[in-house]
Structure formats: C-alpha cells, structure tokens
C-alpha cells in the first residue's frame, strides 16, 4: 500500500506526517505508484543469485505499516530502506556484518542529535547506490525467512487488519464527537435535508420533491421570489405573481365560482403548474379517495414553487421568513402542510418532522398554520425525543407550551420513552424517569378531561377508584371550555395509538393514583389549574381554527364555533387572515346579466339597484378571495328581501257596505270626480 493511501486512512495531509522513525526514508525512494522492479540492473545478470536473493529479502519487508507500527525498539529506529540493506548484508557474509552494525549505530546517533536532512545524507553516504538508479519496491509481498530463521512478520509487528480497524475506530469516535457538538450548536428549527437521486436532464435539481417523468415539461409559470428586507440575521422574502399568472389566477377564481371541478381540470390542461388549481383539485381527488393522484398534484405544486426560489432563500438555515398575510405566500404554506400530512400517513415521520420544522421556521412567531399542535406527534413517531424535549425547554418561557394539551402530555411521554433506552447512563435514565412522572402529574391536574377519553380510545377500562372520583368524571369534561375541548379532541384523535403500550399504561396508572392523592389533599395547584382553564380557553385564535380545518379530523371539526362554520371555506385559502396584504385585485365584470340565474333576474326586475354576488360598476375592483364575493352577494340578497317584505301592504277585507273594500276613500274619490 502506498504512503498516499496510508495518509488517507489516517486522515493526514501531505507534509503533516508524524516524525516517527518508521516514516523516514534513508537512501531509497518509496514510489507512490507501486510499480514493479526492473527486470535487469546495470552490472548484474538476470540469473545472478545474489540479485535474486537481494530482491526477495528486500520484498520481505516492503510493507510500510510494519515499520510505522513496530513495537520493537530496533525496528522503530531503523527505516524501511535501512532495514532492507541491513538484512541484505547479513545474507551476503560475515565480513560486512561489522560495517553494517557500525552504520546502524551511526544512524542511531544521528537520529538523536541531528535534523532529518542530515540523517538522510548520512544514510546515503553509508549505503551508496552503486547503480545510481532509484530502487523500486515490489508490488507483491513474499514471506521469506532471514538468516536468523525468523520471518519479517514477527509477533512484534501488528497485522494490517488490526491497524485499519484501529484507524477506523479512532476516526469514527472523533467524527461522532464532532457531529454531536455540531448538532447541539445548531438552531432549534434547523432542517436536515436528505440527498436526492440523480434526476433527468430536463428537470431542475430540487430538494423538496423529485420530479417525475410523467409530469408535463416545466416552463416558467410567472411566479418569482424577491427579498423584502434583511435585519438581525433574518431575511424576509415574498413570492410575486407576474401579469400572465394573474390572468390565470382570475380564470381560476371564475372556475371556483362555477362549482364545477371540470373547469379547473380544463384550466390545468393549459397551465399544468398553476398552484391554486393543483391545491383545489388535490382536495377533490382526496374526497374521491384517489390518494395517489392527490399526492401527485401536491408534489407537482411543490416542485413549481421550488423552481421559483430566490438564490438566497435557504430551506435549512431557519432564518428565512415568509409573511402569511401576503396572498402570494399562502400557497407555499399550504402545499408544504399537505405534503407533510401525506408523508406522515405514508409512514415517513422523520421526513415529515423536517417539513414541519421548515414550515414553522417560515414564521415562528405567528405560526399561521399552528404547527405546534402536530410537531410533538411527529417527533414522537420519529423517536426524536431529544428534539421535543429541547423545544419544550427553550420555548416554554416565552410560548407557554405547557398550556397546550398536546405538549403537556407528549413531553412527559418523551421523557418516559427516553428512560426506557438501555444505551444511556444510569444518571440520565433516573433523571428522565423523574421528569416524566413530575410532568405527567402536572398535565393530569391541568387537563383532567384528557384521561377518560384517552382511555376510552385505547379500549382501557380504569379501576373503580378512578371512575368514582369526580375529578376525572363526566362533569369535568362538560364544564371545560369549547376551545379546550377542541384541542383535547385533536390531540387524542392523533396520538391515542402511542399510549396503547402496556408499559406506558402501567406508568400512567401509577401517576393517576398520585394525582388523586394530591386532589384529595386539597393542594393549591388543583384550584389554580381550574382557574386557568376557565380564563385562558374562552376562544381559540384564528390559526388554531385554520389548523383544525386542515387536519380534517371529525372529532375536532365538530367543535368549531358557528362563526367559522357559517362562512365558506376554500381549500386553496382556508380562513384568510383578517389583515391580508393583497398586491393585486381582481377586476369586476362589466355585464353578467346573460349568465344570471332566474332568481337573480327576478330580484333585479323588482329592485333595479340589486346586484347579485357583489356586482358593481366596471371601474370598481374586487378582493382576490372568491368567498368575499359570495358573502357580499348573500348579504345584499337578504337586505333586498327585507326591503321587499317591508314595503308590502295588505288591504282590509271587503264589507257589506263596501263590497269593493274601499270604504270612505272611495266616497271621497267619487266626490272629487263629480
């Protein structure tokens, strides 16, 4: 093996070799190319026995590892070239033996007191090369005996396999230590990307998804990204829609208003990478239980958005921001969220967790899709307990994660699962068990309405003491606020399968008994937790409602308030922010009379000023959201109905004196005519 290969195995660079005796060269040049020795040398015949014997003896110690790792003091002092010449002279005769020992002694003395260049010069003078030709080492190694009857691979020389094993172990430990330091120093929301396979030439290289050969050929769609500002190490970006994309967006809104999915399909035939059309059609396919097509449409939208990235936009650094209030940015959030959910259902929790961190890093302060309600589930399924615990420790002080039922129960579960691992020290295992018991008891006291529904979903019947105690009874579940009931239903519906393990149930049962003792003792924490439940969960913020709608869990969507369920929800933009930022608006149509329904024409004939679905003059503009048009149209329709009913007057029934029912008014009219 050459010295170059040795340096690569040991992780060294050229010029950084350790100054060890076996690494020095005295008189011979060790070729890196490993070429074979010449067949003939000057002054010797090919059949010369001295030449053949010398060649065999030189090849007997041609292994470079033997001199580097030799344990014998003599071999540590003698270099490879010096050792070859020394053994050669022992075979040639006793008359040169004294000279050889004398030369060896000189080398030892020079090695102690002189520099490397002086040592090489002395060795060259002591053993001149008579042929004036550099010697080459043999490629093959033969184990021939020396004059003393011992082979060069004595017990004092280590085998090459053991040397390589030691080098690999050493490098592995150093790399592992180095990587652990890097992981601890990374930001919390640092995203670990995975290597992608080689793709076809006409596709761009992407990280979020792999383009498929069945997709239409990608062309520029009219979506770009630009930098808004950079401050405090954070860069703010936004997507932009060019004029041609805006026209397609207007056509899409018209197709949505038609309530016919075929119109969206026709739009996609001419614009195969229109984002909102892909989102809306994916929902239609999923409702029709065509999961493969729904997932394929989402991946195509994700690929289209990634092709529009700004060169400075980073997926992994966690320092790039996108404002959800901007209409153009919402599609990226929704596509990432739906792709993450598909990955989680397909059994890829590790990748889904990285996508969840990516979405959360785009706006960690506002969290428009409320990823905090699902990131704990992904961390538990990916068995990344350290990340979940670290997130709880770093964000608890300013985000109050313990006030979310999912974090209150998932963090102690992560501690308990961590305590079941055998490869951790006993001190860490004991600390994990203590934290798990302490936090699960706090969670049960703060959210007692979680226990009974959780046991019911796990098909576990609690003992009579728990059933009879009012703290975990039905009255507790009924008395909790609706917003809290919604969060509890969302958590149980997602994570109940993780609690079915018998070991976890036994641990939960032990802590439930401890909580009952705390409640019976009248500890202040019980009353304080009840007060916080009544105050903090009166109404949920809009991002939680948006998350519940996207989750599509029946248990959670059933608890949505009326103000959310009464308004139309579009799959391409569910519950848009109330303070939306719109860079362009949809123009009004001049005349829709020809396409109006019979009901619209009827009310227009009664009330000329009535406008159906928010129709106004041509110079007026309409917001991008199609649901706003629908709301305005319905409100105007109801107002017109109220005006119509208010203006209707009923006449009095006719009497005998006045068959026509006109009364005195008729008499007055007759007098006037006379």
């Amino acid at each position: 093996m050459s010295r170059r290969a040795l340096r690569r195995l040991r992780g060294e660079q050229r010029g950084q070799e350790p100054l060890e005796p076996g690494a020095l060269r005295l008189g011979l040049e060790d070729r890196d190319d490993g070429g074979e020795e010449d067949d003939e040398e000057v002054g010797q015949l090919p059949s010369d026995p001295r030449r053949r014997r010398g060649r065999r003896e030189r090849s007997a110690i041609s292994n470079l590892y033997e001199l580097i790792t030799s344990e014998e003091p003599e071999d540590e002092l003698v270099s490879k070239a010096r050792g070859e010449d020394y053994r050669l002279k022992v075979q040639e005769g006793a008359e040169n033996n004294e000279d050889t020992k004398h030369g060896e002694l000189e080398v030892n003395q020079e090695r102690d007191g002189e520099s490397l260049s002086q040592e090489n010069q002395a060795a060259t003078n002591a053993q001149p090369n008579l042929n004036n030709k550099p010697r080459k080492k043999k490629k093959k190694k033969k184990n021939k005996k020396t004059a003393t009857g011992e082979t060069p691979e004595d017990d004092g020389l280590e085998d090459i396999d053991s040397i390589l094993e030691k080098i690999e172990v050493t490098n592995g430990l150093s790399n592992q230590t180095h990587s652990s330091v890097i992981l601890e120093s990374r930001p919390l929301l640092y995203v670990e990307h995975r290597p992608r396979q080689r793709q076809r030439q006409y596709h761009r290289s992407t990280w979020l998804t792999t383009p498929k050969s069945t997709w239409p050929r990608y062309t520029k769609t009219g979506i770009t990204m630009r930098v808004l500002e950079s401050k405090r190490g954070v860069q703010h970006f936004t997507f932009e829609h060019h004029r041609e994309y805006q026209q397609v967006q207007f056509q899409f809104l018209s197709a949505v208003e038609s309530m016919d999915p075929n119109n969206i399909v026709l739009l996609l035939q001419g614009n195969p990478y229109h984002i909102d059309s892909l989102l809306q059609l994916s929902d239609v396919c999923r409702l029709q239980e065509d999961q493969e097509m729904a997932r394929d449409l989402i991946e195509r939208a994700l690929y289209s958005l990634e092709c529009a990235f700004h060169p400075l936009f980073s997926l992994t650094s966690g320092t790039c921001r996108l404002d959800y209030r901007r209409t153009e940015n919402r599609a990226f959030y929704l596509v990432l969220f739906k792709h993450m959910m598909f990955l989680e259902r397909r059994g890829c929790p590790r990748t889904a967790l990285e996508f969840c961190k990516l979405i959360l890093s785009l706006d960690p302060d506002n969290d428009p899709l409320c990823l905090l309600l699902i990131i704990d589930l992904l961390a538990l399924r990916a068995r990344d307990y350290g990340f979940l615990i670290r997130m709880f420790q770093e964000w608890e002080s300013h985000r109050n994660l313990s006030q979310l039922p999912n974090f209150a129960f998932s963090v102690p579960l992560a501690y308990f699962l961590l305590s079941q691992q055998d490869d951790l020290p006993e001190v860490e295992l004991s600390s994990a068990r203590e934290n798990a018991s302490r936090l699960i008891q706090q969670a049960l006291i703060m959210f007692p309405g979680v226990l009974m529904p959780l046991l019911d979903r796990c098909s576990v019947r609690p003992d009579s003491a728990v059933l009879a105690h009012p703290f975990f009874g039905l009255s507790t579940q009924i008395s909790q606020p609706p917003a809290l009931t919604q969060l509890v239903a969302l958590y149980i519906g997602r994570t109940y399968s993780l609690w079915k393990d018998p070991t976890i149930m036994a641990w939960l049962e032990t802590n439930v008994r401890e909580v009952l003792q705390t409640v019976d003792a009248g500890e202040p924490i019980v009353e304080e937790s009840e007060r916080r439940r009544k105050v903090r969960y009166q109404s949920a913020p809009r991002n939680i409602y948006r998350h519940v709608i996207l989750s599509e869990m029946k248990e959670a969507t059933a608890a949505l308030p009326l103000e959310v369920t009464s308004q139309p929800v579009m799959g391409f933009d569910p519950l848009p922010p109330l303070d939306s930022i719109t860079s362009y608006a949809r123009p009004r149509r001049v005349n829709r009379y020809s396409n109006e329904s019979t009901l619209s024409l009827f009310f227009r004939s009664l009330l000329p000023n009535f406008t159906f679905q928010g129709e106004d003059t041509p110079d007026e503009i309409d917001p991008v959201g199609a649901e706003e048009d629908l709301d305005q149209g319905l409100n105007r329709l109801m107002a017109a109905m109220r005006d119509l009913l208010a203006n209707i007057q009923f006449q009095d029934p006719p009497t005998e004196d006045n068959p026509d029912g006109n009364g005195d008014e008729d008499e007055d009219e007759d007098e006037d005519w006379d």
Side-chain angles (χ1 to χ4, degrees):
M1 182 176 291
S2 64
R3 292 183 58 82
R4 182 183 305 169
L6 174 62
R7 286 194 299 269
R8 291 177 180 174
L9 288 175
R10 300 186 62 180
E12 300 174 354
Q13 302 293 331
R14 183 179 296 275
Q16 299 180 357
E17 296 86 357
L19 295 179
E20 298 178 1
L24 303 178
R25 300 181 182 179
L26 303 179
L28 291 177
E29 295 292 331
D30 189 10
R31 293 283 186 94
D32 286 344
D33 56 2
E36 294 186 357
E37 197 172 21
D38 295 340
D39 292 336
E40 297 184 3
E41 296 179 354
V42 178
Q44 289 184 346
L45 296 176
S47 60
D48 191 350
R50 294 180 57 187
R51 176 184 177 275
R52 291 197 300 269
R53 183 170 62 251
R55 181 186 302 177
R56 288 196 300 267
E57 296 304 329
R58 287 195 300 272
S59 64
I61 193 168
S62 61
N63 188 355
L64 189 62
Y65 290 98
E66 296 176 359
L67 296 179
I68 292 178
T69 60
S70 175
E71 298 178 357
E72 296 293 334
E74 180 180 3
D75 291 334
E76 290 179 355
L77 297 176
V78 181
S79 65
K80 174 183 176 181
R82 188 66 176 174
E84 289 180 356
D85 291 344
Y86 174 74
R87 288 174 173 79
L88 179 60
K89 286 185 177 294
V90 171
Q91 293 291 338
E92 290 177 350
E95 63 275 7
N96 296 328
N97 192 19
E98 296 296 332
D99 296 336
T100 305
K101 292 182 179 179
H102 180 67
E104 183 182 355
L105 180 59
E106 290 178 353
V107 173
N108 291 334
Q109 293 175 353
E110 290 170 354
R111 198 180 299 274
D112 292 336
E114 296 184 15
S115 63
L116 179 60
S117 61
Q118 294 174 345
E119 179 185 8
N120 290 334
Q121 184 65 29
T124 304
N125 295 335
Q127 298 294 336
N129 190 354
L130 298 177
N131 298 326
N132 293 326
K133 185 175 182 180
R135 298 179 181 177
K136 303 178 182 178
K137 67 179 182 180
K138 285 186 67 68
K139 196 170 186 178
K140 296 183 180 180
K141 170 184 171 183
K142 297 180 180 180
N143 296 330
K144 297 295 183 180
K145 292 187 178 181
T146 61
T148 58
E150 296 180 357
T151 58
E153 290 86 7
D154 290 335
D155 295 337
L157 301 178
E158 296 182 354
D159 185 68
I160 184 173
D161 295 332
S162 61
I163 298 170
L164 294 176
E165 184 178 356
K166 288 183 179 180
I167 294 175
E168 292 176 358
V169 171
T170 304
N171 291 338
L173 290 177
S174 61
N175 292 336
Q176 184 178 3
T177 304
H178 183 65
S179 61
S180 62
V181 174
I182 293 177
L183 289 176
E184 293 179 357
S185 61
R186 287 176 178 174
L188 177 64
L189 298 180
Y190 179 87
V191 180
E192 298 181 7
H193 57 72
R194 298 293 184 263
R196 311 297 302 181
Q197 299 178 353
R198 295 189 63 183
Q199 301 160 1
R200 301 189 66 172
Q201 295 182 358
Y202 63 85
H203 284 302
R204 296 183 54 174
S205 177
T206 54
W207 286 103
L208 296 179
T209 186
T210 303
K212 300 179 181 179
S213 59
T214 57
W215 292 354
R217 185 179 296 273
Y218 177 80
T219 56
K220 291 185 178 180
T221 59
I223 301 179
T224 58
M225 178 185 282
R226 68 181 178 93
V227 182
L228 291 178
E229 61 178 352
S230 299
K231 58 181 180 180
R232 299 179 181 178
V234 176
Q235 294 177 313
H236 295 262
F237 297 84
T238 184
F239 285 97
E240 288 185 333
H241 294 172
H242 292 179
R243 185 171 183 83
E244 58 272 15
Y245 192 88
Q246 295 178 13
Q247 299 300 323
V248 179
Q249 188 73 8
F250 298 153
Q251 298 176 16
F252 165 74
L253 295 178
S254 299
V256 172
E257 289 178 352
S258 68
M259 301 298 177
D260 187 0
N262 294 323
N263 294 331
I264 302 178
V265 175
L266 294 176
L267 180 62
L268 276 177
Q269 290 179 357
N271 305 274
Y273 288 96
H274 182 254
I275 307 302
D276 288 348
S277 297
L278 293 171
L279 276 170
Q280 193 73 21
L281 193 59
S282 175
D283 290 342
V284 174
C285 294
R286 189 168 39 80
L287 293 176
Q288 295 178 354
E289 298 183 357
D290 191 353
Q291 301 295 329
E292 187 66 25
M293 178 59 69
R295 183 171 64 250
D296 185 81
L297 294 173
I298 292 299
E299 291 178 358
R300 195 197 303 182
L302 192 59
Y303 173 73
S304 177
L305 289 170
E306 187 174 2
C307 291
F309 281 174
H310 192 275
L312 298 179
F313 186 78
S314 174
L315 294 171
T316 60
S317 63
T319 59
C320 297
R321 302 289 185 264
L322 283 175
D323 193 350
Y324 191 81
R325 296 177 302 170
R326 295 183 176 271
T327 308
E328 298 87 344
N329 295 339
R330 296 174 197 165
F332 187 53
Y333 279 89
L334 297 173
V335 169
L336 287 175
F337 186 91
K338 293 178 182 295
H339 185 62
M340 177 193 69
M341 297 303 296
F342 278 124
L343 289 172
E344 193 270 335
R345 296 189 188 105
R346 292 171 59 189
C348 304
R350 176 76 257 182
T351 308
L353 176 61
E354 300 303 325
F355 271 88
C356 185
K357 291 192 290 186
L358 171 60
I359 304 173
L360 188 57
S361 68
L362 297 177
D363 193 355
D365 295 332
N366 299 315
D367 191 11
L369 299 186
C370 204
L371 273 300
L372 291 179
L373 296 180
I374 194 175
I375 195 171
D376 60 301
L377 168 68
L378 300 177
L380 290 174
R381 290 192 174 176
R383 299 181 180 180
D384 195 352
Y385 311 129
F387 167 77
L388 181 59
I389 293 173
R390 179 189 174 189
M391 186 176 192
F392 179 76
Q393 293 174 347
E394 294 184 6
W395 285 25
E396 169 63 17
S397 59
H398 65 281
R399 299 294 293 269
N400 293 325
L401 297 182
S402 60
Q403 302 306 306
L404 294 174
N406 59 310
F407 267 91
F409 282 86
S410 293
V411 172
L413 180 59
Y415 271 116
F416 177 76
L417 295 174
L418 192 64
S419 68
Q420 302 299 307
Q421 298 181 358
D422 299 332
D423 55 347
L424 295 178
E426 183 59 31
V427 178
E428 296 184 11
L429 295 177
S430 178
S431 176
R433 285 191 292 267
E434 293 178 0
N435 290 327
S437 299
R438 176 177 56 85
L439 292 176
I440 193 61
Q441 293 178 21
Q442 293 179 2
L444 290 170
I445 293 175
M446 183 65 194
F447 305 105
V450 176
L451 180 63
M452 301 306 294
L454 178 61
L455 296 179
D456 183 64
R457 288 298 300 270
C458 295
S459 301
V460 175
R461 179 177 178 82
D463 55 15
S464 57
V466 178
L467 288 174
H469 204 285
F471 187 73
F472 294 114
L474 183 61
S475 59
T476 301
Q477 303 176 33
I478 298 176
S479 62
Q480 64 185 5
L484 180 57
T485 302
Q486 189 177 54
L487 295 177
V488 170
L490 186 66
Y491 175 71
I492 294 176
R494 280 175 170 168
T495 61
Y496 72 93
S497 60
L498 299 176
W499 293 85
K500 286 186 174 182
D501 187 84
T503 306
I504 297 177
M505 277 296 167
W507 164 72
L508 180 62
E509 180 183 1
T510 302
N511 288 278
V512 167
R513 297 182 183 277
E514 295 289 337
V515 169
L516 291 180
Q517 295 179 4
T518 303
V519 173
D520 294 338
E523 297 291 338
I525 188 176
V526 179
E527 183 179 355
E528 176 64 21
S529 299
E530 183 179 1
R531 185 189 64 82
R532 285 186 294 176
R533 285 197 303 272
K534 294 180 179 180
V535 173
R536 294 187 176 183
Y537 304 97
Q538 294 298 325
S539 62
R542 197 172 182 85
N543 62 338
I544 291 183
Y545 293 147
R546 192 179 297 121
H547 179 91
V548 172
I549 292 174
L550 291 174
S551 65
E552 299 180 352
M553 296 196 64
K554 297 180 180 179
E555 299 86 351
T557 54
L560 286 173
L562 183 61
E563 60 268 17
V564 176
T565 57
S566 60
Q567 54 182 304
V569 178
M570 300 297 176
F572 64 93
D573 191 8
L575 293 183
L578 301 178
D579 54 348
S580 298
I581 301 176
T582 305
S583 59
Y584 65 95
R586 179 187 180 189
R588 291 278 188 178
R589 292 186 178 182
V590 178
N591 189 1
R592 296 185 186 176
Y593 296 167
S594 60
N595 297 328
E596 288 185 3
S597 63
T598 304
L599 182 63
S600 176
L601 293 175
F602 170 73
F603 281 108
R604 189 178 298 281
S605 64
L606 296 177
L607 303 172
N609 294 330
F610 169 74
T611 56
F612 188 71
Q613 292 187 357
E615 296 173 340
D616 280 324
T617 57
D619 53 351
E620 295 185 3
I621 58 175
D622 166 73
V624 178
E627 68 278 2
E628 296 182 3
D629 284 342
L630 184 60
D631 291 342
Q632 292 177 4
L634 292 176
N635 292 334
R636 295 186 182 188
L637 178 62
M638 297 304 298
M641 289 290 297
R642 287 193 295 268
D643 294 340
L644 179 64
L645 294 177
N647 294 328
I648 294 178
Q649 297 181 357
F650 296 95
Q651 297 181 352
D652 295 334
T655 60
E656 295 180 356
D657 298 337
N658 185 15
D660 296 332
N662 293 329
D664 298 338
E665 294 180 356
D666 293 341
E667 295 178 358
D668 294 337
E669 290 177 0
D670 293 338
E671 292 176 357
D672 292 337
W673 278 105
D674 293 336

